[in-house]
Amino acid sequence: MCLAALAQTVETKNYLAGAVTTSDGKVVFSAEFKAPTLTQTQLYDLLLKWSEGRFVGNEEYHMNARVLYQNPEEGVIADGGEEWMVFTKNAISLDRTRVYYRLTLTCRDGSVDATISNIRYLYDENRDGGRKMSAEEAITDEVALNKSKTKLVYMYGKFRRETVDLKDDLFTSIRNTIANAVVANDPTAAPAPVVAQSPVATVAETPAVAEAPATVAVAEEPAVAVVEEPAVASETPAETPVEAPIVSVAVTDANGEQLTLDPSAWGGVSSMMGQPVAYIFVAANKALANAMMEGSDTYTIALGREGASAPESLTARRMSKMTMSGKEACEVNSQLDPATTYNVYLLSIAQ
């Protein structure tokens, strides 16, 4: 069974079909914010100050977020974003990625156009330099949703979910910044709530600024081209055909110690960022088995297939580990125990 091609259940449709929009094949998020009482100069000065506070570098983590471009005559501000997107964090593990993007703000009398484009990721950077992906490879409907567009797929779904949340956070912050300025400029005017499924975030006449994240629907606008890094080669998650069922799984570490696992522990092989990867499930309460998996970076995996005279041998390197509840694990493989917590080991397969 191929884990990367399977889906996990989500309770909201905010991340499903239509949540990520494209223009000319590129992922682009866009919104218009109206502020009838503010001039281009006022909006430009306001959002330049906001940008200088929001996009600040971090020397400790070598983050280089900054204002890239300023043009007061045309009312254009371009910001370069670089920050962490955290997928999971607990006492023993941290799963996160760097995300890079460009936010372009175009100010006119009475309105602002905001566009987020050129989104890319650097994942698992502490292992072999990390993996680079573009948004087109990781979060589009074709990559991050199942065939029926009803669920996020296991691996790429987390990139889509956190990217949509980042977009919502940026657009909400811009909206509230403009709304506060409208109120300060004219106390009788205040922002109306953003209407879901509308490409325009309107600043109209009500007395308060909502602090809760608002859903800003996106309109397709041409992406702003930025050439800051070489393009990342495209890849599509693919499932490796299985000729016969797996009947035995044995893992040998770099020290020659062997671990025999139940066939249900094998999560299958798929493609991730152009490289074959495999998944192995180990019950979290099996201390010795987990100690062996975590004590080595390389393994030899022997897969016994039904009817085969000899096991299939794979050479693998450990990439990362994540923890799943039994319920989550059973959505991937119904043979696993729903009452057991599992550690899932992601392994790169030598070609």
Side-chain angles (χ1 to χ4, degrees):
M1 181 178 294
C2 175
L3 181 62
L6 297 178
Q8 59 184 2
T9 302
V10 292
E11 297 178 354
T12 174
K13 294 184 178 180
N14 291 346
Y15 307 113
L16 300 182
V20 174
T21 53
T22 60
S23 177
D24 295 330
K26 299 294 184 181
V27 172
V28 179
F29 297 110
S30 299
E32 181 184 10
F33 301 87
K34 289 192 175 297
T37 62
L38 299 181
T39 66
Q40 174 179 309
T41 299
Q42 288 174 312
L43 287 167
Y44 176 88
D45 291 343
L46 175 71
L47 292 176
L48 178 59
K49 182 178 180 180
W50 174 85
S51 294
E52 291 172 340
R54 176 65 173 76
F55 296 95
V56 180
N58 185 318
E59 292 185 5
E60 180 182 359
Y61 294 107
H62 306 288
M63 298 287 192
N64 196 28
R66 65 198 189 279
V67 177
L68 298 173
Y69 176 76
Q70 308 173 42
N71 189 322
E73 288 77 20
E74 296 182 2
V76 176
I77 303 166
D79 300 316
E82 180 181 355
E83 55 195 86
W84 294 119
M85 286 199 319
V86 178
F87 304 129
T88 58
K89 181 179 181 180
N90 54 48
I92 61 174
S93 67
L94 174 62
D95 185 19
R96 66 184 181 183
T97 185
R98 283 183 195 254
V99 59
Y100 306 85
Y101 58 92
R102 177 165 176 164
L103 171 65
T104 303
L105 302 168
T106 303
C107 305
R108 299 182 300 273
D109 289 341
S111 68
V112 175
D113 289 329
T115 302
I116 304 170
S117 60
N118 297 88
I119 305 168
R120 54 201 188 280
Y121 312 93
L122 177 59
Y123 182 57
D124 201 18
E125 62 185 81
N126 292 326
R127 185 175 297 275
D128 298 329
R131 306 287 178 181
K132 293 182 179 181
M133 291 187 295
S134 65
E136 292 73 34
E137 295 172 301
I139 69 170
T140 61
D141 288 3
E142 293 73 20
V143 175
L145 301 181
N146 63 355
K147 290 183 179 179
S148 59
K149 311 301 183 193
T150 58
K151 296 180 181 179
L152 298 172
V153 300
Y154 183 77
M155 178 56 66
Y156 295 98
K158 61 186 180 182
F159 286 88
R160 181 180 175 104
R161 182 183 64 245
E162 295 301 324
T163 302
V164 170
D165 285 350
L166 173 62
K167 176 265 296 183
D168 287 343
D169 177 70
L170 287 167
F171 284 170
T172 298
S173 181
I174 293 168
R175 175 190 180 273
N176 288 342
T177 298
I178 295 172
N180 288 329
V182 169
V183 173
N185 188 59
D186 181 359
T188 65
V194 175
V195 179
Q197 306 305 321
S198 168
V200 178
T202 304
V203 178
E205 297 185 356
T206 57
V209 178
E211 294 297 331
T215 301
V216 180
V218 294
E220 296 187 359
E221 295 187 2
V224 179
V226 178
V227 181
E228 292 187 29
E229 291 189 359
V232 185
S234 177
E235 54 93 359
T236 302
E239 184 172 343
T240 301
V242 178
E243 296 179 354
I246 298 292
V247 295
S248 66
V249 179
V251 180
T252 304
D253 68 10
N255 298 317
E257 295 187 30
Q258 188 175 86
L259 173 66
T260 300
L261 300 170
D262 187 86
S264 63
W266 179 245
V269 176
S270 68
S271 178
M272 177 177 171
M273 293 163 276
Q275 178 176 337
V277 295
Y279 304 83
I280 290 181
F281 292 82
V282 179
N285 60 5
K286 294 191 175 183
L288 292 179
N290 282 284
M292 195 200 93
M293 291 296 297
E294 295 175 24
S296 180
D297 286 333
T298 58
Y299 316 88
T300 299
I301 304 171
L303 300 175
R305 296 189 183 277
E306 188 177 276
S309 59
E312 175 184 344
S313 180
L314 301 174
T315 300
R317 176 178 293 274
R318 178 162 55 89
M319 295 175 63
S320 63
K321 182 189 84 171
M322 63 198 83
T323 301
M324 297 179 66
S325 68
K327 181 179 179 181
E328 292 172 322
C330 285
E331 290 179 3
V332 174
N333 188 343
S334 60
Q335 298 180 50
L336 296 173
D337 181 4
T340 300
T341 299
Y342 290 90
N343 290 325
V344 187
Y345 295 89
L346 174 62
L347 313 174
S348 62
I349 303 299
Q351 295 177 289

